[in-house]
Amino acid sequence: MPLWLDLLRTPMAAPETGALRRMRLVWQGLCLSVALVVGFFAQFHAALGRPAPCLAAALLAAAALYTWLYLRRKNAADTAFLQETGEAG
């Protein structure tokens, strides 16, 4: 397995709970969706017409907000884990 793919499947600090794992997978799906919409926007626009830019903008906004939420919860979990193990300063 390539290293980059292995790193995508690996939690970075604290043991990953089921909720954080689901959040990470949803976040990765949103990022992949944004990449596909950007990469194939001409086809996306041809298929959907005028609503395509609005849907793409909504997807970008959802990805940005979910990124903020995920990073906030992941940071809180990492901080709690480090305090529990005595490694936080």
Side-chain angles (χ1 to χ4, degrees):
M1 177 178 311
L3 177 61
W4 65 269
L5 185 57
D6 195 34
L7 288 174
L8 284 177
R9 298 178 40 214
T10 306
M12 300 315 280
E16 191 174 47
T17 64
L20 278 177
R21 181 174 190 276
R22 280 189 300 281
M23 286 189 76
R24 179 174 52 88
L25 293 174
V26 168
W27 176 72
Q28 289 172 343
L30 279 170
C31 291
L32 181 61
S33 298
V34 167
L36 289 173
V37 166
V38 168
F40 296 103
F41 187 75
Q43 293 86 348
F44 185 64
H45 190 269
L48 297 178
R50 292 189 73 188
C54 294
L55 293 174
L59 182 61
L60 285 168
L65 290 172
Y66 202 81
T67 298
W68 174 80
L69 179 64
Y70 172 71
L71 291 177
R72 185 173 170 167
R73 289 191 181 167
K74 178 67 174 148
N75 187 38
D78 290 345
T79 301
F81 176 73
L82 291 174
Q83 287 178 348
E84 183 180 302
T85 60
E87 294 181 31

